[in-house]
Amino acid sequence: MNYDLCIIGSGPGGYRAADYAAKNGLKVLIFEDRNPGGTCLNRGCIPTKTLCHDADVVDVLRKSVPSITPVIGKVYERLNGVVSQLRTGVESIMSHQNITFVRAHAALKEAHTVVANGEEYSADNIIIATGALPKLPPIDGIDSPKVVTSDDLLTSSLTDLPSRLIIIGAGVVGMEFASVFSRFGCKVTVVEFLKECLPAVDSDIAKRMRRQMEKQGVEFFMQAAVKSIDGSKVNFERKGKENTIEADKILVATGRRPNIEGLNLETLGVDTERGFVVVDDNYMTGVAGIYAIGDVNGRQMLAHAATMQGIHVVNKILGKTDSIRFDVMPAAVFSYPEVAFVGKSEDDCRAEDLECRCRKAFYRANGKALAMDETEGLLKLLSDSSDRIIGCHVYGVHAADIVQEVAVLMNYNATVAQLRDIVHIHPTLSEILQSAAEMP
């Protein structure tokens, strides 16, 4: 049987593209050699945010019962339940009459042919949506049994909470796990090569985030180069001095690499760069009819980016146009407090010599934040010389919800003056954004 579309990978890019294509009448074939739902559902966004929620609950309870500690087995039991329920939902989507779901590893044979389990399948179009895997740096001793990745911590149910946790890397993954496990009661130490955490975030906000986490008990060694791992010990150099720290577990959170092994890309002439599949602005590779979406192309390594890239590709196959703005891509770090951002930061504007206006507003002046006892936070709203909103970076509870409103405004090239005239419900945290817009 010949299919209209073949998708390799069932993460948020793959399964959402399959669902959208099927609802638009295409015959879809989708392959998955692991659990449906991809990294986001099984080893990323969803289990991490489940842990974040439970850490939030522990924080609230500690205000009344300071000595409370979570039963980590119960925490992971709930995590596994959430993942299982959502995985069932993805499997239900895959049962659509226009979708054939094959649980197998698939590889490309020709421009319109895929091989899996020794069988050949034909499709007019192929989408590679195989995602990414944790990247381990070339550190001597990194094969220590004490070393784990985010995949390990999210797919293996912990029965005992490590009393000491070292995290190598202060990017999004590292900061989220530092926030969670420190609030669970672990002694967390973060070792980072760069000068500041969260390099994609406004530097002012990143610094505030780190300092707040230090108040929560997290220890940071910035500008530190890990030299080796000796069992449970991490040896690093910082400011010319050798240091050694020890822990029960060592989480390596130093980025992710594209999952392309066994796809047979080189045989078809599909180009890669640093391992990522090279695509054009319609996410097509150099081979006509073969596309690559999500983490595997390395453009925007976010679950929601993968979803929208997949929908865009299906629209192209269907001959439809859309107005998806991939230059307006909101993102969030679900630490405590949250960090979220969209568009340019002050640092970006300085680096690009771009004239901008930065308006600030603080959580401590907001009635809802005071009522919630969540006054730690800052919002920075950026506009260009024509008053058009070009970015927003927020640090504080529900930062992601506030940034999403700005993303909507930016999609339609709204100005600060237009934002100023939008009625916001009182009392809500969204009034922090309005307060920033009201600055002269």
Side-chain angles (χ1 to χ4, degrees):
M1 179 179 178
N2 187 72
Y3 293 86
D4 298 309
L5 174 62
C6 169
I7 302 172
I8 305 175
S10 70
Y15 84 77
R16 289 287 298 275
D19 182 45
Y20 181 64
K23 287 176 178 175
N24 278 275
L26 298 185
K27 291 292 184 183
V28 181
L29 173 67
I30 184 167
F31 294 94
E32 177 58 67
D33 60 357
R34 302 178 77 173
N35 286 320
T39 294
C40 177
L41 172 52
N42 296 287
R43 304 171 297 280
C45 322
I46 299 301
T48 305
K49 278 54 184 180
T50 306
L51 292 180
C52 290
H53 167 78
D54 287 359
D56 289 343
V57 172
V58 170
D59 267 354
V60 172
L61 291 175
R62 279 205 179 113
K63 292 177 180 178
S64 300
V65 188
S67 61
I68 194 169
T69 56
V71 178
I72 200 66
K74 290 292 184 182
V75 168
Y76 272 80
E77 184 179 314
R78 194 180 84 83
L79 180 156
N80 291 329
V82 170
V83 171
S84 178
Q85 181 177 339
L86 291 173
R87 190 185 295 151
T88 299
V90 175
E91 290 171 339
S92 176
I93 290 172
M94 296 298 97
S95 66
H96 190 284
Q97 62 179 1
N98 283 348
I99 298 177
T100 300
F101 184 36
V102 180
R103 293 176 181 269
H105 180 273
L108 301 169
K109 181 180 180 182
E110 297 171 349
H112 302 289
T113 306
V114 171
V115 178
N117 287 337
E119 294 187 39
E120 294 188 3
Y121 301 82
S122 297
D124 296 334
N125 300 278
I126 297 172
I127 296 177
I128 301 167
T130 47
L133 303 167
K135 180 173 65 176
L136 296 178
I139 297 173
D140 185 35
I142 203 163
D143 56 349
S144 165
K146 296 290 186 180
V147 171
V148 295
T149 66
S150 58
D151 280 13
D152 298 324
L153 281 184
L154 295 174
T155 57
S156 300
S157 294
L158 290 181
T159 54
D160 296 303
L161 198 64
S163 59
R164 297 168 301 171
L165 175 67
I166 296 171
I167 300 176
I168 301 174
V172 174
V173 173
M175 293 298 279
E176 288 186 346
F177 275 98
S179 177
V180 166
F181 279 89
S182 65
R183 289 186 289 155
F184 279 167
C186 297
K187 170 55 182 174
V188 177
T189 303
V190 179
V191 181
E192 169 58 51
F193 181 76
L194 298 177
K195 184 178 180 180
E196 191 53 89
C197 65
L198 301 173
V201 176
D202 177 275
S203 59
D204 184 20
I205 283 179
K207 183 186 293 185
R208 288 170 182 264
M209 176 73 241
R210 176 175 53 80
R211 287 179 174 173
Q212 180 64 18
M213 289 183 68
E214 287 174 338
K215 291 178 182 178
Q216 296 168 11
V218 178
E219 185 177 18
F220 286 88
F221 290 96
M222 310 304 293
Q223 295 179 287
V226 176
K227 297 299 184 180
S228 65
I229 296 172
D230 182 13
S232 60
K233 297 178 180 179
V234 174
N235 305 305
F236 63 93
E237 181 182 328
R238 182 171 182 260
K239 297 182 179 179
K241 294 183 179 180
E242 300 292 333
N243 297 268
T244 297
I245 50 178
E246 189 171 6
D248 305 297
K249 287 199 179 292
I250 302 165
L251 170 63
V252 177
T254 52
R256 299 181 69 78
R257 59 183 174 85
N259 181 22
I260 61 172
E261 188 175 348
L263 287 176
N264 205 28
L265 300 179
E266 61 285 347
T267 301
L268 271 72
V270 175
D271 293 333
T272 60
E273 185 175 312
R274 295 179 296 108
F276 294 100
V277 180
V278 177
V279 295
D280 64 17
D281 289 342
N282 286 314
Y283 306 99
M284 184 184 288
T285 69
V287 179
I290 299 181
Y291 303 83
I293 63 171
D295 288 2
V296 76
N297 68 34
R299 287 199 165 194
Q300 296 167 307
M301 298 180 75
L302 299 162
H304 45 284
T307 295
M308 300 310 290
Q309 288 175 14
I311 289 172
H312 181 72
V313 168
V314 174
N315 280 335
K316 186 176 186 303
I317 292 169
L318 293 168
K320 292 185 175 183
T321 59
D322 58 50
S323 57
I324 300 171
R325 292 276 305 270
F326 290 103
D327 61 320
V328 180
M329 186 60 64
V333 184
F334 292 96
S335 51
Y336 176 78
E338 284 181 11
V339 172
F341 55 96
V342 64
K344 296 186 182 298
S345 66
E346 272 195 293
D347 307 278
D348 296 330
C349 293
R350 281 193 290 267
E352 298 171 21
D353 198 23
L354 177 67
E355 182 182 345
C356 73
R357 167 75 191 278
C358 179
R359 295 171 168 88
K360 297 181 182 180
F362 294 88
Y363 273 61
R364 62 176 178 263
N366 176 264
K368 182 64 179 289
L370 282 163
M372 295 170 65
D373 194 22
E374 295 287 359
T375 56
E376 177 67 26
L378 165 68
L379 180 148
K380 299 177 77 170
L381 179 67
L382 284 89
S383 57
D384 65 13
S385 57
S386 64
D387 197 42
R388 181 174 60 95
I389 299 169
I390 59 172
C392 183
H393 286 236
V394 184
Y395 157 62
V397 293
H398 298 294
D401 302 321
I402 297 173
V403 161
Q404 187 60 56
E405 178 181 350
V406 180
V408 173
L409 294 168
M410 288 178 63
N411 265 272
Y412 295 97
N413 296 312
T415 63
V416 174
Q418 289 171 320
L419 166 59
R420 191 180 301 129
D421 289 342
I422 296 173
V423 178
H424 286 70
I425 299 170
H426 176 76
T428 61
L429 296 175
S430 67
E431 291 176 290
I432 301 170
L433 176 59
Q434 191 175 41
S435 295
E438 288 171 352
M439 289 185 63

